[in-house]
Amino acid sequence: IYSCCYLNRRLNQLSSHDPLWKRHCKKYWLISEEEKSRRNQSWKSIFISTYSDLGRYIRYYATLKKAWDDLEKYLGQWCPRMISSLKESVREEDLDAVEAQIRCKLPDDYRCSFRIHNGQKLVVPGLMGSMALSNHYRSEDLLDIDTAAGGFQQRLGLKQCLPLTFCIHTGLSQYMALESVEGRNKYEIFYQCPDQMARNPSAIVMFITGTSYLEWFTSYVNKVVTGGYPIIRDQIFRYVHDKECVATTGDITVSVSTSFLPELSSVHPPHYFFTYRIRIEMSKDALPEKACQLDSRYWRITNAKGDVEEVQGPGVVGEFPIISPGRVYEYTSCTTFSTTSGYMEGYYTFHCLYYKDRFFNVTIPRFHMVCPTFKVSTA
């Protein structure tokens, strides 16, 4: 009996040892020393009070909180006006009410994220990225929980699907499947695409963008905060740049980034729409007499079947840019394939401004375009 009493007393002493709780507070709840000082509580008290509120999310909270913190820090530096569109967290009972309303369970990683931030207001620019091309513009907002619940789908083709994002210009959304129906996996995230050749109007094709909310959100944030997406006019543009897709000819470097546009694509009939963004830059160390002007472009376009199309024409997007030391010229254009992938390569022809009869070609590196994995609905 004495040994048991001694053991229990020792365990009680260990369980009250504050440094042990400090490690757990930092690991699971990301509590800093500054926050502890502000709360004026022991590490044990902080852990217990936080666990009583967020305990069901202990597997996800640290990962999602870090993602949100990193994103806010990045936005504060590069897109400050987007910060004001973020909404405060929701309560546990609010999420329970939504589940009762839609009669479907929300995944814990999704709930956890909304305990940190309740999406954003319906504004432009959208937190989940933008895309602009000629007269086409898309900017996706991360929906708050009430707006998402209002768009919950029970119709054929989108049964038990919850919208995560929304673009007020195109009506485009990314959906999360809350059940495994109509060919979808539970918690899969996708863009919908009408099957234009099906007799059933509810038949859709799904371009898959994530396998779970945690993977979908954190991978997007990681791409943003590591500079994987360019910031243009205070917005996150979802162009993907392959670091190997760069070619230098003399003093001129050409690099390319690409993006797939689901809202302008179709699987049936096959029509896959891509946009690309090209950056042309002359080294700042180049001699002034190296200044030149772009005259024409040549493209060699190859689809997944090996079919080749050649295109040659004056300028780029109707312009004839002048490139001089340290100057950068960027433009966007687009292409379509009848196959799910393809690539482009080619060259620009320039003439020297100081020696007008001197012409030379600048290599455009080969860049590949591949549409996301897609599934055909069983509706």
Side-chain angles (χ1 to χ4, degrees):
I1 296 173
Y2 173 79
S3 297
C4 290
C5 290
Y6 179 80
L7 178 61
N8 287 337
R9 186 164 62 248
R10 184 60 180 149
L11 286 173
N12 187 54
Q13 289 172 347
L14 285 173
S15 68
S16 300
H17 188 55
D18 221 34
L20 293 176
W21 294 100
K22 173 182 177 179
R23 178 175 176 271
H24 290 306
C25 283
K26 291 193 170 186
K27 178 181 179 180
Y28 295 110
W29 313 127
L30 304 187
I31 304 292
S32 64
E33 297 279 357
E34 294 76 15
E35 186 173 350
K36 178 188 182 294
S37 298
R38 190 167 59 250
R39 292 171 67 160
N40 195 28
Q41 293 177 280
S42 67
W43 287 110
K44 180 179 180 180
S45 297
I46 291 173
F47 183 90
I48 291 173
S49 62
T50 307
Y51 187 86
S52 66
D53 182 32
L54 298 167
R56 70 181 288 180
Y57 310 122
I58 197 166
R59 290 174 52 202
Y60 308 111
Y61 185 83
T63 302
L64 287 165
K65 183 68 166 65
K66 184 180 185 304
W68 274 111
D69 289 348
D70 290 347
L71 183 58
E72 287 188 77
K73 182 179 178 182
Y74 184 85
L75 294 177
Q77 182 178 359
W78 298 104
C79 309
R81 67 191 177 110
M82 206 181 290
I83 291 282
S84 60
S85 74
L86 299 182
K87 291 190 167 187
E88 297 296 325
S89 62
V90 294
R91 300 170 302 168
E92 198 71 6
E93 49 264 41
D94 296 326
L95 295 168
D96 291 340
V98 166
E99 287 187 340
Q101 175 188 337
I102 65 176
R103 298 180 182 180
C104 219
K105 289 290 183 183
L106 300 170
D108 275 351
D109 51 356
Y110 176 84
R111 289 179 61 120
C112 181
S113 182
F114 281 73
R115 291 299 313 275
I116 301 168
H117 272 298
N118 183 21
Q120 69 174 141
K121 303 168 188 172
L122 284 176
V123 295
V124 175
L127 184 69
M128 303 310 292
S130 301
M131 183 56 60
L133 181 68
S134 185
N135 61 351
H136 180 79
Y137 177 73
R138 182 220 321 156
S139 191
E140 289 182 65
D141 291 305
L142 180 63
L143 293 177
D144 64 69
I145 189 64
D146 290 328
T147 307
F152 180 68
Q153 299 293 317
Q154 286 286 33
R155 61 189 171 95
L156 278 176
L158 285 175
K159 267 192 171 183
Q160 295 175 308
C161 289
L162 184 78
L164 299 182
T165 70
F166 181 70
C167 170
I168 61 177
H169 296 88
T170 64
L172 186 72
S173 285
Q174 291 185 70
Y175 285 91
M176 177 168 60
L178 297 186
E179 296 293 343
S180 298
V181 294
E182 298 180 336
R184 290 179 284 272
N185 294 326
K186 196 173 186 179
Y187 305 144
E188 207 162 41
I189 297 168
F190 62 93
Y191 285 110
Q192 63 158 323
C193 173
D195 187 334
Q196 299 175 24
M197 298 180 72
R199 293 182 179 181
N200 185 350
S202 65
I204 66 165
V205 176
M206 298 157 282
F207 291 112
I208 310 301
T209 57
T211 56
S212 70
Y213 183 88
L214 182 75
E215 179 263 333
W216 174 80
F217 184 73
T218 56
S219 61
Y220 172 76
V221 170
N222 182 64
K223 182 75 75 172
V224 171
V225 302
T226 57
Y229 293 136
I231 303 297
I232 308 171
R233 296 185 300 277
D234 201 27
Q235 299 180 58
I236 302 164
F237 271 70
R238 279 163 51 183
Y239 281 103
V240 178
H241 173 60
D242 180 351
K243 292 181 180 179
E244 295 183 359
C245 193
V246 178
T248 300
T249 306
D251 296 300
I252 298 177
T253 298
V254 178
S255 59
V256 188
S257 52
T258 63
S259 185
F260 174 72
L261 272 64
E263 68 271 32
L264 299 179
S265 298
S266 167
V267 173
H268 301 123
H271 178 86
Y272 304 96
F273 194 103
F274 299 88
T275 177
Y276 53 89
R277 181 170 178 254
I278 295 189
R279 177 185 174 96
I280 307 171
E281 179 178 11
M282 180 175 282
S283 169
K284 63 180 180 181
D285 299 323
L287 297 173
E289 55 264 31
K290 292 295 184 74
C292 53
Q293 185 170 21
L294 190 153
D295 290 323
S296 63
R297 69 194 185 281
Y298 165 79
W299 287 113
R300 181 179 172 87
I301 306 168
T302 308
N303 69 16
K305 295 178 180 178
D307 300 328
V308 176
E309 178 186 3
E310 295 182 283
V311 177
Q312 193 159 12
V316 288
V317 292
E319 297 182 353
F320 300 85
I322 291 174
I323 305 296
S324 55
R327 185 178 175 190
V328 175
Y329 176 78
E330 295 177 304
Y331 74 95
T332 59
S333 190
C334 60
T335 190
T336 60
F337 289 99
S338 60
T339 56
T340 55
S341 64
Y343 62 87
M344 295 174 63
E345 58 195 326
Y347 60 81
Y348 299 117
T349 299
F350 284 83
H351 74 265
C352 295
L353 295 181
Y354 283 80
Y355 310 98
K356 295 187 182 296
D357 59 343
R358 186 175 298 175
F359 294 82
F360 62 96
N361 293 334
V362 171
T363 300
I364 305 171
R366 177 181 293 187
F367 55 98
H368 293 262
M369 290 156 282
V370 181
C371 99
T373 300
F374 61 80
K375 289 183 176 181
V376 178
S377 172
T378 59

